[in-house]
Each structure stands twice: as structure tokens, then as C-alpha cells.
Amino acid sequence: MNSIIGTYECKVDAKGRLMLPAPLKKQLASSLQEGFVLKRSVFQPCLELYPMAEWNVLMNKVNKLNKFVKKNNDFIRRFTAGVKVVEIDNLGRLLIPKDLVVFASIKKDLVLSSAVNIVEIWDKDLYEKSIDDATIDFADLAEDVMGNINDDDNGIS
């Protein structure tokens, strides 16, 4: 799958359904038949929507962990806690299970944000707070994370 692009605002109804924005639905079209996995984020108070093919790649990596090492077993249990298989219905809606709505503090307004090959689902206020967090200097973060990568001749690194 190619990278998913874009940040989209939408609303969730009282039943926990959200209508996927058309540009995002179009990017995910090749994954609609296989379905998706929805899970809690490890580092943020948001949800992560994995196309099934991407989830399978990740699970192949996780499955290589030695389950007789307690730390690995604990990680697997916590990483997969609350994981749900979800589908996009014929109207283009995704149902977010109630336990995941509670985890992500989802109220009404959402932000769907691309994160390379998955989509993060955020309560809008929490998303705005996370990207505006003044305690993190994005320039320093970008240098720390990307500053030593120089494996292309495309002028970016």
C-alpha cells in the first residue's frame, strides 16, 4: 500500500459511527474488501486504523517475538488489548466500538490524520493540543529523528 495522505475533520454520531471523508475513502478503496483493524495507540490518546494488509505485516513482526520471554508476552498482550476488526459499511461509515470511544475521549468532532500507512483517529481538541504542544520544539524533534538519514540523492536529506 502507498502512503496515506491528508488530515480530515469529521463528526461521529451518538452510535459511534463516522463517515469517512471521500478523499480518504478513495485512498483506502483497495483495502475495503479485506477490512481494517482498529486499536488503541501506544503513545497517544487516539486510535489507529490499520488496513488489514498493514496489520498483517505488523503482526508478522510481532509474531517473531519469543513468547517465552515475559517482557515480550506482556508487550503482545498490552499491544493487542482492545483490538477490533472493523469494516466500512456501504454508506462509507466506520463504527467505533464504545470501549475505544472511551479510550480516545472521543466526543463529537474528530480528526482523521494520516500516519504513513495507517490513519489516526483523534478527538479534535486532543489532536489540536498534541500538534500545538509547546513543550516539543518540532525543529529539534525533526533534527533528532531525521537528521542522520542521508540515503537518497533527492535533496531532502
Side-chain angles (χ1 to χ4, degrees):
M1 166 176 247
N2 293 331
S3 296
I4 301 168
I5 299 170
T7 302
Y8 308 91
E9 293 186 15
C10 60
K11 297 191 181 302
V12 64
D13 68 17
K15 294 181 180 179
R17 296 177 299 199
L18 69 96
M19 181 73 71
L20 282 183
L24 182 58
K25 185 178 175 189
K26 185 176 180 181
Q27 291 180 67
L28 297 173
S30 64
S31 301
L32 291 176
Q33 291 288 15
E34 293 181 3
F36 300 85
V37 170
L38 189 61
K39 70 174 289 302
R40 304 172 199 177
S41 174
V42 172
F43 300 109
Q44 301 290 342
C46 70
L47 305 176
E48 297 172 341
L49 182 67
Y50 287 78
M52 192 60 74
E54 294 296 329
W55 179 255
N56 290 335
V57 168
L58 180 58
M59 286 297 96
N60 284 335
K61 291 178 183 178
V62 169
N63 196 39
K64 292 178 182 175
L65 295 172
N66 183 341
K67 292 167 193 74
F68 287 99
V69 174
K70 184 180 182 328
K71 188 181 347 180
N72 294 350
N73 212 14
D74 291 347
F75 167 79
I76 292 167
R77 182 180 317 103
R78 297 210 39 211
F79 184 76
T80 58
V83 168
K84 305 280 193 291
V85 174
V86 294
E87 296 180 354
I88 310 298
D89 70 14
N90 291 336
L91 298 175
R93 299 176 302 184
L94 170 73
L95 175 64
I96 303 173
K98 293 212 181 294
D99 62 320
L100 296 179
V101 167
V102 170
F103 170 82
S105 302
I106 291 173
K107 294 167 190 65
K108 184 172 184 158
D109 295 319
L110 297 179
V111 172
L112 306 180
S113 178
S114 61
V116 185
N117 57 352
I118 66 170
V119 176
E120 293 180 339
I121 301 173
W122 288 82
D123 175 80
K124 184 178 181 196
D125 292 338
L126 292 175
Y127 177 78
E128 294 297 332
K129 183 179 177 193
S130 77
I131 61 171
D132 290 339
D133 191 343
T135 63
I136 298 174
D137 181 345
F138 185 68
D140 289 342
L141 178 62
E143 183 176 358
D144 288 347
V145 173
M146 300 298 289
N148 292 322
I149 297 175
N150 195 7
D151 58 3
D152 273 338
D153 294 328
N154 61 11
I156 294 174
S157 55

